Amino acid sequence: MLKKSMLSKRLKSLGELILHYLPESRKVIDIGCDHALLGEYLGMREDNVEYIGIDRSKPALERTKSYYKKQYTYIPSGFLINTSNVKLLHQTGQSLQSEKSLILIAGMGGEEIIKIMRESVTKDCIFILSAHKNVNKLRKFLADSGYKLIDETVIFDKNHYYETLIVSKNATEPIHPWGSKLWESHDSQDYLKHLISREKPYIAYTGNAKYLKFLESFLC
Ligand SMILES: C[S@@+](CC[C@H](N)C(=O)[O-])C[C@H]1O[C@@H](n2cnc3c(N)ncnc32)[C@H](O)[C@@H]1O
């Protein structure tokens, strides 16, 4: 069992989502893992989770490895850090993904996530995607690429909102370009108000009147 670690509210929420959607294979691939704190969290909460952290930054992974060595004197079995970029997923990905993995991509913009999704083999996996910007662009890409919605939620941490989508090609609900399930939850009301107040002053310039109306229709 791993030691307890301090996680931000955002990462903890992502950890809980991973545990909720953990597939039978118990394989989790964290693309852009950086510090790989989620691997630590999962190891702390559950036995037999195979966590694979991937990051394109060698220095980040070196830092992460030495953190693990210092904390635990070993890198737990089932925890693997690859020092190459996502392309590696193409090579190792075939066998990993044949067992229906859960893939997390978090802590980057929607456009970077789109780039990664375009490059990756994406058979039967469940994806948890948490972008800090351009989420609607990501939604459109996912819908156009045949992904369906399992759920969507918003995580609030340190004055920021992170829209988080759970998608798979095997789900059935279409992905709405501006969000759907997200707005059904009472928890999203603050975020809705935040978005409306952000859009309103610029409506004449952005021409986003339809979007604004759409958002306002979910206000309680
Ligand atoms: C801000 S950190 C986020 C770390 C963690 N996922 C989180 O949510 O806290 C973004 C990480 O993604 C990595 N990254 C960005 N684009 C990537 C890509 N195309 N492939 C692999 N890693 C990528 C960066 O090197 C960086 O370590």
Side-chain angles (χ1 to χ4, degrees):
M1 197 52 78
L2 301 174
K3 291 180 198 167
K4 228 182 162 91
S5 76
M6 287 299 292
L7 274 195
S8 67
K9 187 180 165 209
R10 177 184 68 87
L11 282 174
K12 203 163 170 205
S13 304
L14 289 172
E16 291 306 311
L17 280 176
I18 291 172
L19 291 174
H20 185 80
Y21 289 102
L22 202 60
E24 234 172 81
S25 69
R26 302 179 79 76
K27 280 180 202 268
V28 177
I29 303 172
D30 184 357
I31 301 179
C33 64
D34 194 7
H35 36 61
L37 286 174
L38 278 170
E40 185 180 40
Y41 182 71
L42 295 176
M44 207 169 70
R45 291 284 311 274
E46 284 278 330
D47 289 327
N48 305 323
V49 173
E50 186 173 345
Y51 171 86
I52 298 172
I54 296 176
D55 202 289
R56 70 177 174 190
S57 159
K58 251 188 177 165
L61 290 179
E62 289 310 318
R63 229 185 314 116
T64 302
K65 276 185 187 169
S66 82
Y67 167 77
Y68 266 81
K69 278 195 186 131
K70 221 161 46 205
Q71 281 292 95
Y72 309 114
T73 63
Y74 71 107
I75 294 181
S77 64
F79 180 89
L80 178 94
I81 301 177
N82 289 310
T83 46
S84 75
N85 67 16
V86 179
K87 289 246 165 68
L88 194 105
L89 200 61
H90 275 301
Q91 285 135 38
T92 56
Q94 302 291 349
S95 61
L96 287 171
Q97 296 189 19
S98 64
E99 278 190 79
K100 198 172 181 176
S101 312
L102 187 152
I103 300 184
L104 172 80
I105 313 178
M108 52 185 101
E111 284 178 353
E112 190 61 34
I113 295 180
I114 291 172
K115 231 164 74 191
I116 293 173
M117 299 288 286
R118 268 211 185 101
E119 287 173 2
S120 306
V121 182
T122 56
K123 272 190 184 153
D124 266 356
C125 299
I126 297 172
F127 288 83
I128 298 182
L129 307 173
S130 188
H132 51 62
K133 59 178 180 180
N134 292 325
V135 187
N136 288 344
K137 219 175 200 177
L138 175 62
R139 278 201 180 87
K140 182 167 179 342
F141 163 80
L142 292 169
D144 292 347
S145 311
Y147 288 93
K148 303 282 178 195
L149 188 70
I150 297 173
D151 204 359
E152 55 186 349
T153 183
V154 62
I155 299 169
F156 181 65
D157 188 20
K158 296 186 191 113
N159 278 324
H160 287 281
Y161 293 94
Y162 303 91
E163 280 186 47
T164 303
L165 313 178
I166 301 108
V167 303
S168 158
K169 284 199 170 166
N170 290 331
T172 51
E173 188 159 330
I175 298 176
H176 189 284
W178 293 336
S180 50
K181 282 186 172 197
L182 180 63
W183 310 120
E184 288 164 14
S185 155
H186 195 76
D187 295 345
S188 59
Q189 284 291 307
D190 283 344
Y191 181 45
L192 206 50
K193 285 175 197 155
H194 164 82
L195 279 184
I196 289 169
S197 67
R198 201 183 67 182
E199 286 290 323
K200 233 176 190 159
Y202 303 106
I203 207 70
Y205 309 104
T206 59
N208 278 350
K210 260 193 184 165
Y211 179 48
L212 188 64
K213 232 177 171 178
F214 170 86
L215 293 175
E216 283 174 339
S217 72
F218 293 99
L219 277 177
C220 289

